[in-house]
């Protein structure tokens, strides 16, 4: 092991294993997770090629091979728990990108949710056994988040009892669905249902797209890959164009709405449950943000402990770059954020499961708040994480730019989270809608509960910045609870400002919708402040549950850093709202620097506690043993450009160039 | 404004018609786009020359970049070598010389997709560090491509800190040779461009050791590959460093030297020489070497970094008038996404930044030229200021251009994630500029050092230094203004007012920086220790100073446009937007000492939101004025005609994933599916 890392680990003030248990939820979870990880790592079938040296087509091929393998393995190892399957996939697939993944994550759940018993009998078994591979085709080239805008049509023909599917325009071509380009032979297609000359809105249809046996596109189907992307090389995101393509009536998913053989449309009774899936996916993404950021921090912090550069005092040996204040200031707030998001992710998951049980018993009361909260948290955590991964990469200097660092890969795999499963700005505005509703509710005399309950008790003077005297307490910058209060006040103030501006615009514009658009910047700000408050609150509450003293101490420092760093970044809000004074902001900045120094000795142990296997990190810079340079050189030698000593282009171009000029 | 032939797309049938949603944006022209283009180009004659070069490049199929997104690293390298090769022949035929405007415009048209860029860096270093004989010997060899040269400085374990480099060049008086050697693994040269596969020679920065004494870093010309068959020479281990985020056109390389001997004459010796007997002779200071580093940084701004943000703005804003999503009112058709305030807030400040940086870089270039003239007359007095400005501005520009182009990419939703949008490539290129040619953090701190030093000088001899303060920090002695006089939103739309506001904040932060530093020193820390303990505030200080400089430079540009009122008006809105966006992003700095009150910050926000609506109207024209050709944008989303979807669909068909078979099906999917019976 690298000497620097060994020293760092020996000097840590706490046992990282205990912190790993906290992150996993229990020692038992940690044990079981490692057991599953080791199953894969010790499996001779698990050959982990370095994807960086492969072309896109090769990466796709590897992913398909692994997908196919995985189905067998999961059965072989008897892994059935969804959480455990997730652990398995994460380490098995490395980038967690799986061409047949949509079959399990979208095709089958949709079939279960929206298909009749007969339909489930017909399709479920074969899709579970991958005898057919399905995907889910919703997004079109010209239409994304706004579902009603989709153009694909399914017109019922009572003569033949078939639906005729059409992509009437270029913009209506299905675009982006994963696994559609090359892998799937069936798709659940979302289309506008037209029967008896009337359009009934979006419905789901099972559409065979490739011939069983030859895998060739069926007549009337144009299907292919949408081409190279920023990342997700392993995934064949596809397009699908349908020309008068006929499917039997029974292929419309009819658990709720139905089309009778004669073309009569039967309305669904209630369809509230469909957004349960959406909430689930988004809450999962909050956890993904935490994991991706934790990985990036692990790499950047380990590398910063190994890398030596420049000098703090002339004549002294080059220090570890982690000893530079600027490097600590770049990385430690991100480390604190990673921990904050770990706890936010755990909270969202627990809440989802709790509420889901309630839904099972017919209790939908908590769903709106969860839906609103998860939308905002998905946006809040993914925006922050997106910027933070890049910051980690840049903190590794030139080597961060090389794929050897693993950071480019983490970034391009994570960044679509900002735009998929609900574009972030739209998500923030959904949260804002809930905040505005709650605000109105309070003003009409009804109390609100849950995370927005702070709207109940805010004094109206709060919006006037001059009246400092109204604050009952002074913020104590060494107390997570007091800082949570400060964030709460900020959220309350920004919600109120957005609400008032919205009211003003409504009066001026005489249209709620125009007013909404003209207030949307304020609304997004309010949502962000709300989510930030939630994150701070969850982190400080988590501290109360930590038993071990040394772990508690180090987490408390991280929590303080998370809170204070946020205040220093958004100091304008805290000053303008008179939540804090100028001199307090100066103290905050001073305290941040003290915390950097306090966290420094534990930095490596804190990333060790995330407990990532080297294969999962996929990084030469972030290796557990810290032997960076030797392995970097070995890695580069494997590059395809080094396969021959003299490159072909020399004969083709360089040599002739020398003779022609 | 007649026929913008140069803009027409790749000859596809649909592009004969401009998309109606795009056409409607160009219907009302509040200013002359052509006039603005001329201003950006620095004169109508430059615009004409640029377009001439662009048409030569784009009409030549050898320069086509349409398959770029489908190539792997190796293919892109080969294509870039092929283009470079073809380009040299054309340049020779047309008499375009290195450093000519034609060269520059051709590079712009080709979006830098050429190999052998380091060849030029080698030549520049040779000219600044070489003796007259050395220049006379090596320049023609380079110009005729009889050798291909690169520049090797960075090592596996060492970057920005030059003194930490480990490669050694030991003089052997017996044979009158230098023995160049990589003593450790971390001494391996790592990252030099063109070195992985192409270069025959490289300029190696190494520690000179002669007569037993270490003399610091010097530059040596080291042959690394055989001129006969291109194989590595004895003692040389050289290769490519492997896949990167981008710059696949360049073969960044590694190099290990095992006691490689080169003649004494291969050490560049304008400033220092080793005599045959091993005596080390210094021939003056390396001021001009240091100057060439500044030149590289300044030229990067307009030649590479800023156009990347400009292109990102062009693509994202054009796409945002074609893309329709949801409706603002339930009864309305789906709205152009650029009509959403949140979309405006994402994109328009980036557009303003793209303009602000363009003028900033132009002004810096002017300052560079005048400093160069002064240096010719042995006047080095501008160098510290020039160095501080170029360092800070490079850092700010690359930081914000990166953040801005990434924001533009995400503002295009899913399609921004497709390489066919052109945006991922812009982002991956611009992000590299945050760490190359000096890591941004290190550069900001260099600027901060200059600021603190100047401030401490004003304190040392009060009153007497006013005249000697460099112009960029003259505001340190400006009359103190405790509170901003603005009363309402409209008051903030005055360049003088917001420039003063930025100066106030920058000056306050410089003072804070100095005080923090002095406090630590007084409590017993030595200067270096104290500096490291206060770097976080110094960063903030340097950033505020650079922002102030950019606001000031934009307002000065406006002043010169009195005779073009329409263009002046639209640019003033951008300038206002740039300044106010900066104030809001850094509101705490303005609130901190009560310079702005909470109510004033609210007024700034009101003004800012109104500006978004105003700039929205001219947004497309403002992106047109950059006058990027469709081929150089290479974006399915950002073409001039707005035919986004047809192009996206058409381009995707050409992907190898569609034109070549699917081996994965044969190998894995078919066996997986074979258990299928007749169940379906």
């Amino acid at each position: 092991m690298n000497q620097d890392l060994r020293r760092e680990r020996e000097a840590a003030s706490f046992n990282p294993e205990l912190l790993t248990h906290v992150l996993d939820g229990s020692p038992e979870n940690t044990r079981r997770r490692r057991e599953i990880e080791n199953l894969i790592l010790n499996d001779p079938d698990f050959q982990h090629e370095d994807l960086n040296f492969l072309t896109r087509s090769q990466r796709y091929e590897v992913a398909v091979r692994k997908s196919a393998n995985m189905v067998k393995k999961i059965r072989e190892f008897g892994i059935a728990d969804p959480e455990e399957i997730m652990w398995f996939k994460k380490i098995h697939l490395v980038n967690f990108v799986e061409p047949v993944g949509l079959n399990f994550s979208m095709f089958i759940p949709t079939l279960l949710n929206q298909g009749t018993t007969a339909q489930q009998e017909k399709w479920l078994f074969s899709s579970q056994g991958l005898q057919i591979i399905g995907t889910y085709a919703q997004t079109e080239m010209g239409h994304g988040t706004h579902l009603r805008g989709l153009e694909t049509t399914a017109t019922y023909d009572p003569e033949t009892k078939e639906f005729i599917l059409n992509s009437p325009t270029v913009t209506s071509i299905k675009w982006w669905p994963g696994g559609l380009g090359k892998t799937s032979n069936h798709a659940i297609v979302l289309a506008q249902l037209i029967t008896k000359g009337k359009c009934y809105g979006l419905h789901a249809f099972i559409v065979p797209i490739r011939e069983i046996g030859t895998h060739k596109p069926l007549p009337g189907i144009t299907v292919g890959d949408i081409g190279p992307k920023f990342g997700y090389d392993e995934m064949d995101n596809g397009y699908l164009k349908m020309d008068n393509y006929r499917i039997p009536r029974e292929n419309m998913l009819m658990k709720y709405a139905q089309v009778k053989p004669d073309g009569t449309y039967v309305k669904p009774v209630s369809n509230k449950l469909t957004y349960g899936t959406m909430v689930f996916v988004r809450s999962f993404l909050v956890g993904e943000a935490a994991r991706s950021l934790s990985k990036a921090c692990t790499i950047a912090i380990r590398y910063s402990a190994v890398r030596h550069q420049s000098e703090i005092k002339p004549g002294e040996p080059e220090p570890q770059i982690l000893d530079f204040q600027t490097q600590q200031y770049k990385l430690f707030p991100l480390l604190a954020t990673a921990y904050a998001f770990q706890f936010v992710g755990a909270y969202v998951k627990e809440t989802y499961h709790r509420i889901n049980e309630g839904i099972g018993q017919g209790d939908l009361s908590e769903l709106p708040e969860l839906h609103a909260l998860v939308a905002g948290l998905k946006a809040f955590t993914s925006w922050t994480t997106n910027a933070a991964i890049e910051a980690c990469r840049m903190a590794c200097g030139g080597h961060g730019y090389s794929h050897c660092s693993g950071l480019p890969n983490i970034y391009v795999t994570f960044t679509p989270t900002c735009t998929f499963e609900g574009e972030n700005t739209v998500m923030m505005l959904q949260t804002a809608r809930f905040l505005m509703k709650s605000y109105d509710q309070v003003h009409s005399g009804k109390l609100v509960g849950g995370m927005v309950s702070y709207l109940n008790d805010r004094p109206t003077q709060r919006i006037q910045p001059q009246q400092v005297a109204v604050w009952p307490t002074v913020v104590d910058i060494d107390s997570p609870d007091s800082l949570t209060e400060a964030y709460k006040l900020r959220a309350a103030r920004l919600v109120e400002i957005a609400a008032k501006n919205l009211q003003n615009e409504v009066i001026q514009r005489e249209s709620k919708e125009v007013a909404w658009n003209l207030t949307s910047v304020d609304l997004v700000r309010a949502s962000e402040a709300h989510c930030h408050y939630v994150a701070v609150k969850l982190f400080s509450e988590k501290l109360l549950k930590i038993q071990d003293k040394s772990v508690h101490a180090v987490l408390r420092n991280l929590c303080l850093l998370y809170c204070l760093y946020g205040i220093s970044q958004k100091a304008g809000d805290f000053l303008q709202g008179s939540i804090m004074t100028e001199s307090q902001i100066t103290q905050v900045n001073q305290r941040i620097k003290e915390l950097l120094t306090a966290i420094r000795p534990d930095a490596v142990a804190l990333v060790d506690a995330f407990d990532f296997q080297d294969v999962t990190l996929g990084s030469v810079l972030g290796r557990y043993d810290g032997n960076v340079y030797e392995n970097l050189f070995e890695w580069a030698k494997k590059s395809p450009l080094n396969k021959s000593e003299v490159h072909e282009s020399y004969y083709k171009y360089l040599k002739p160039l020398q003779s022609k000029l | 404004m007649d026929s913008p032939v140069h803009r027409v797309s790749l000859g596809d049938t649909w592009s004969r018609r401009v998309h109606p949603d795009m056409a409607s944006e160009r219907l009302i022209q509040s200013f002359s786009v052509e006039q603005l283009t001329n201003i950006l180009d620095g004169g109508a004659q430059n615009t004409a020359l640029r377009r001439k070069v662009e048409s030569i490049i784009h009409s030549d199929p050898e320069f086509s970049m349409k398959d770029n997104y489908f190539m792997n690293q190796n293919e892109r390298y080969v294509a870039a070598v092929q283009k470079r090769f073809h380009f040299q022949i054309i340049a020779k035929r047309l008499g375009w010389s290195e450093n000519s405007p034609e060269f520059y415009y051709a590079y712009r048209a080709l979006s830098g997709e050429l190999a052998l860029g380091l060849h030029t860096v080698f030549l520049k270093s040779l000219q600044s560090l070489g003796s007259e004989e050395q220049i006379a010997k090596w320049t023609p060899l380079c110009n005729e491509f009889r050798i291909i040269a690169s520049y090797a400085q960075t090592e596996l374990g060492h970057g920005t800190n030059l003194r930490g480099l480990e490669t050694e060049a030991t003089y052997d008086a017996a044979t009158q040779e230098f023995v160049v050697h990589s003593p450790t693994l971390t001494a391996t040269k790592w990252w030099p461009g063109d070195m992985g596969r192409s270069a025959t020679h490289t300029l190696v920065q190494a520690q000179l050791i002669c007569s037993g004494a270490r003399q610091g870093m010097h530059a040596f010309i080291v042959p690394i590959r055989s001129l006969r068959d291109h194989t590595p020479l004895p003692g040389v281990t050289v290769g490519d460093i492997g896949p990167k985020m981008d710059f696949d056109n360049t073969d960044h390389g590694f190099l290990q030297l095992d006691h490689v001997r080169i003649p004494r004459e291969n050490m560049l010796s304008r400033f220092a020489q080793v005599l045959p007997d091993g005596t080390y002779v210094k021939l003056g200071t390396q001021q001009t070497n240091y100057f060439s580093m500044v030149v590289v940084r300044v030229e990067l701004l307009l030649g590479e970094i800023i156009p990347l943000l400009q292109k990102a703005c062009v693509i994202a804003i054009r796409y945002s008038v074609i893309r329709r999503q949801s409706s603002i009112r339930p009864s309305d058709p789906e709205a152009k996404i650029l009509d959403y305030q949140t979309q405006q807030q994402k994109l328009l400040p980036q557009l303003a930044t793209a303009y602000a940086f363009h003028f900033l870089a132009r002004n810096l270039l002017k300052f560079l030229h005048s400093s160069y003239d002064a240096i010719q007359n042995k006047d080095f007095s501008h160098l510290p200021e020039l160095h501080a400005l170029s360092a800070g501005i490079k850092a700010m520009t690359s930081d914000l251009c990166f953040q801005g182009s990434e924001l533009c990419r995400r503002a295009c939703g899913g399609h921004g994630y497709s390489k066919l949008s052109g945006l991922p490539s812009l982002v991956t290129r611009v992000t590299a500029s945050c760490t190359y040619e000096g890591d941004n953090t290190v550069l900001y701190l260099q600027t901060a050092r200059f600021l603190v030093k100047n401030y401490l000088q004003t304190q040392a001899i009060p009153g007497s230094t006013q005249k000697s303060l460099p112009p960029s920090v003259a505001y340190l002695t400006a009359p103190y203004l405790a509170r901003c006089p603005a009363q309402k939103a409209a008051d903030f739309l005055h360049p003088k007012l917001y420039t003063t506001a930025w100066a106030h904040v920058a000056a306050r932060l410089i003072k804070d920086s100095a005080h923090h530093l002095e406090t630590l020193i007084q409590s017993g820390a030595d200067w270096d220790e104290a500096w490291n303990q206060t770097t976080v505030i110094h960063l903030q200080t340097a950033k505020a100073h650079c922002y102030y400089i950019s606001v000031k430079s934009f307002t000065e540009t406006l002043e010169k446009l009195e005779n073009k009122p329409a263009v002046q008006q639209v640019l003033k809105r951008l300038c206002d937007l740039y300044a106010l966006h900066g104030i809001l992003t850094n509101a705490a700095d303005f609130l901190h000492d009560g310079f702005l009150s909470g109510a004033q910050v609210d007024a700034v926000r009101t003004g800012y939101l109104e500006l978004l609506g105003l700039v929205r109207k001219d947004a497309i024209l403002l992106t047109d004025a950059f006058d990027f050709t469709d081929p150089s944008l290479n974006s399915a989303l950002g073409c001039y005609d707005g035919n986004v979807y047809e192009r996206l669909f058409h381009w995707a068909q050409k992907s190898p994933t569609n034109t070549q078979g699917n081996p994965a099906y044969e190998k894995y999917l078919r066996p997986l599916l074979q258990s299928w019976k007749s169940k379906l």
Side-chain angles (χ1 to χ4, degrees), chain A residues 24-41:
Chain A
D24 279 323
S26 71
E28 170 54 23
N29 281 359
T30 303
R31 191 199 58 76
R32 176 67 179 150
R33 176 176 56 73
R34 286 184 185 151
E35 189 175 59
I36 289 173
E37 288 177 357
N38 287 329
L39 274 181
I40 300 161
L41 294 175

Side-chain angles (χ1 to χ4, degrees), chain B residues 136-377:
Chain B
K137 176 181 171 190
W138 295 97
T139 307
L141 292 174
C142 283
N143 285 341
E144 291 160 27
F145 278 86
R146 286 166 55 198
I147 67 167
I148 294 164
S150 103
Y151 177 88
Q153 178 174 305
T154 314
E155 295 174 358
L156 187 50
H158 311 276
T160 306
N161 180 35
L162 274 187
R163 275 166 301 172
L165 297 179
E166 296 177 78
T167 305
E168 292 168 351
T170 312
Y171 185 66
D172 178 357
T175 59
Q176 302 200 9
E177 288 172 319
F178 290 104
V179 183
V180 193
H181 183 59
S182 318
T184 61
L185 175 66
T186 45
T188 309
K189 292 291 177 189
W190 201 270
W191 277 110
D194 305 340
M195 201 170 72
R197 306 269 79 190
S198 316
T200 61
H201 289 66
T202 189
L203 191 66
V204 171
Q205 290 280 359
Q207 302 279 359
L208 168 63
I209 303 169
C210 59
S211 308
R214 296 180 88 89
Q215 301 290 358
M217 300 306 307
H218 290 74
F220 302 84
I221 298 177
V222 181
I224 54 171
R225 286 191 176 89
S226 152
L227 287 173
R228 194 170 40 79
D229 62 6
H230 214 61
T231 50
L233 293 170
V236 172
T237 307
V238 64
D240 180 270
I241 61 160
K244 305 148 289 193
M245 284 186 95
D246 206 331
F247 285 96
D248 286 353
N249 54 312
T250 302
D251 51 319
H252 291 103
F254 61 78
L255 174 71
Q256 281 179 343
L257 299 167
D258 182 7
H259 298 96
V260 171
R261 290 180 166 262
I262 55 167
R264 190 179 63 93
E265 294 75 25
N266 280 21
M267 174 175 131
L268 294 189
S269 53
R270 174 176 294 247
F271 299 104
Q273 223 179 345
V274 174
L275 300 180
D277 67 351
T279 314
Y280 179 73
V281 187
K282 247 184 128 75
L283 306 164
T285 55
Q286 285 210 4
Q287 291 273 27
T288 52
N289 176 30
Y290 169 74
F291 186 73
S292 67
M293 202 165 65
V294 172
V295 174
V296 171
R297 260 175 218 157
V298 176
E299 286 180 346
L300 262 178
L301 300 178
L302 285 168
E304 170 79 15
I305 300 171
I306 299 167
L308 294 168
L309 175 63
Q310 291 172 337
K311 285 182 184 176
C313 289
V314 173
I315 295 168
I317 291 174
R318 283 183 180 165
Y319 175 64
S320 296
V321 302
I322 300 300
R323 178 75 171 191
R324 290 174 174 271
Q325 184 103 314
S326 308
S327 42
I328 293 175
R329 271 181 260 243
S331 53
D332 289 354
E334 290 199 306
K336 292 178 174 180
I337 57 174
L338 195 58
D339 287 325
Y340 289 97
Q341 193 186 50
T342 44
Q343 187 77 353
Q344 293 166 10
Q345 187 211 11
K346 285 177 194 169
L347 297 179
L348 302 181
Q350 305 316 319
L351 181 64
T353 304
Y355 271 91
F357 285 178
H358 184 92
F359 297 125
L360 173 66
R362 283 277 286 281
N363 286 343
L364 183 62
L365 197 62
K366 249 181 253 163
F367 180 45
L368 177 84
H369 289 152
S370 68
S371 307
Y372 181 75
D373 293 342
I375 288 172
Q376 297 304 303
N377 300 318

